[in-house]
Amino acid sequence: MEQVKTRMLFDENSIAARVQELGKQISVDHPEGNLLLIGILKGSFVFMADLARSLSLPCQIDFARISSYGTGTVSAGQLKVVMDVGISVKDRHVILVDDIVDSGLTLSEYRKRLESASPKSLKIAAMIDKTARREKFVHVDYYGFRIEDGFLVGYGLDWDEKYRNLGGIYIIEP
Ligand code: PRP
């Protein structure tokens, strides 16, 4: 890669193996079906594609786009739903799908909003659960890998909108 120095953390094979495990677990946990996967754009698009295909249950798929106000650091509650989910979550088993949980603001806020629309259950799946900067508690029901800190790219994660298309997950070296 150009411009930044990176080190691979998780290669394509280990990601694929984890996704298969998560898909199996989600399928076992939802024997009733009635699943609605909601991906948070844009970062979730790669994980969503793999996770959805790893399920042994029929499911519906939709997306939402959430952005933080301004360009600085996100402050609590300062989130804007740019595009809300289009399919009704009422009485559905909903799984929010994202590439990473970092401060936890995005998913904790959006989760609250969806809960008020009466889903039957609501869980969270994230490829990366990054813990060091957590500001809001988020229970990540299904995570691919847990790391403490670091700026990650690849598998949907971007740096300045680049590198989302890398198959592995890399850490940017300082
Ligand atoms: C990233 C990521 C999560 C969110 C996690 O999205 O995809 O949705 O940040 O951060 P948080 O836990 O601190 O809220 P971003 O806003 O960078 O947009 P993108 O998905 O388009 O890259």
Side-chain angles (χ1 to χ4, degrees):
M1 285 197 294
E2 51 185 21
Q3 292 182 26
V4 290
K5 193 167 169 237
T6 60
R7 175 168 54 86
M8 179 178 272
L9 276 191
F10 308 109
D11 66 16
E12 291 187 47
N13 289 339
S14 45
I15 292 171
R18 260 322 265 147
V19 173
Q20 287 308 312
E21 288 172 355
L22 295 177
K24 216 177 263 178
Q25 191 60 52
I26 291 172
S27 303
V28 167
D29 291 349
H30 299 84
E32 191 187 326
N34 191 22
L35 265 185
L36 171 61
L37 307 184
I38 302 174
I40 308 299
L41 293 170
K42 297 183 247 180
S44 67
F45 77 103
V46 182
F47 182 40
M48 173 65 101
D50 287 345
L51 186 67
R53 287 178 296 171
S54 75
L55 299 176
S56 53
L57 303 165
C59 66
Q60 290 182 318
I61 295 168
D62 204 350
F63 290 92
R65 181 129 197 239
I66 323 281
S67 74
S68 51
Y69 286 108
T71 52
T73 52
V74 180
S75 50
Q78 297 294 295
L79 294 168
K80 184 174 163 192
V81 179
V82 178
M83 185 188 89
D84 209 351
V85 60
I87 298 175
S88 169
V89 303
K90 189 169 164 36
D91 296 329
R92 308 298 307 278
H93 292 296
V94 172
I95 300 184
L96 284 175
V97 178
D98 213 343
D99 51 353
I100 188 167
V101 180
D102 188 357
S103 71
L105 293 171
T106 303
L107 287 181
S108 66
E109 289 299 312
Y110 195 55
R111 176 187 189 123
K112 251 192 262 164
R113 181 184 174 105
L114 290 187
E115 267 165 354
S116 66
S118 310
K120 201 162 190 179
S121 67
L122 206 171
K123 290 184 179 153
I124 287 175
M127 177 44 66
I128 301 289
D129 182 11
K130 184 169 113 174
T131 56
R133 294 161 200 262
R134 195 62 46 86
E135 290 175 39
K136 283 277 176 80
F137 173 79
V138 176
H139 179 69
V140 184
D141 301 272
Y142 307 102
Y143 64 88
F145 301 103
R146 183 170 277 160
I147 66 158
E148 199 189 331
D149 207 358
F151 197 101
L152 305 188
V153 295
Y155 202 71
L157 292 149
D158 75 306
W159 177 74
D160 196 19
E161 294 297 336
K162 289 178 287 219
Y163 310 126
R164 293 192 197 271
N165 59 323
L166 297 174
I169 296 176
Y170 299 76
I171 188 164
I172 293 187
E173 304 271 29

